[in-house]
Amino acid sequence: MKIEGFSQSFIYEDEGLWEAKWPLPEAFKYVISYRTYLVIGIENDKNFMRSKRFDRSIYTIAKRYFSNWIGFHPSRCTYNAELSDRMQRIRKVSLWKFEKMFDEEI
């Protein structure tokens, strides 16, 4: 799984989003954001500048029209304490790298 920088959401390599042509990956960033929220859990989510209501709406629509997509497998869309902990650690490192990049002198 990889983290998407600005949204701090997670994408699995076998989901086909990296290979998909624009604009499909752009539309799915809201789905991925909401799915990450579901896996991490309400109490652990830091709300990275996202509207949960909007993301949930797009997630619901996508799930209706792309119900067989591997990204909607229950293991990838439900709270998992072990996976949540892993995602939070990856987020910390990602944010640290992001801040370090902006703090460096040009």
Side-chain angles (χ1 to χ4, degrees):
M1 106 182 118
K2 294 181 181 181
I3 190 166
E4 194 281 315
F6 289 111
S7 71
Q8 293 290 294
S9 301
F10 292 86
I11 302 171
Y12 293 83
E13 293 178 10
D14 63 346
E15 293 177 337
L17 291 177
W18 294 114
E19 300 83 25
K21 294 188 181 205
W22 190 86
L24 185 62
E26 282 298 308
F28 264 77
K29 69 182 174 183
Y30 305 106
V31 174
I32 303 303
S33 174
Y34 190 71
R35 182 183 66 182
T36 301
Y37 165 75
L38 293 174
V39 174
I40 286 181
I42 296 169
E43 65 280 350
N44 298 320
D45 187 62
K46 302 292 187 226
N47 194 4
F48 287 94
M49 301 180 291
R50 308 287 317 171
S51 166
K52 294 294 182 267
R53 185 175 173 201
F54 179 78
D55 290 354
R56 182 180 60 235
S57 298
I58 300 300
Y59 177 89
T60 303
I61 291 168
K63 196 167 183 178
R64 182 180 315 142
Y65 289 103
F66 301 99
S67 59
N68 293 329
W69 180 54
I70 193 168
F72 290 126
H73 189 274
S75 66
R76 296 183 185 189
C77 297
T78 53
Y79 175 74
N80 178 321
E82 185 179 323
L83 187 55
S84 173
D85 183 55
R86 182 177 173 210
M87 286 177 165
Q88 289 179 70
R89 286 184 280 124
I90 292 170
R91 273 185 169 177
K92 283 181 184 178
V93 171
S94 175
L95 288 171
W96 176 80
K97 287 181 179 180
F98 200 64
E99 289 172 1
K100 184 179 175 188
M101 180 181 70
F102 280 111
D103 288 342
E104 290 178 355
E105 290 183 4
I106 299 176

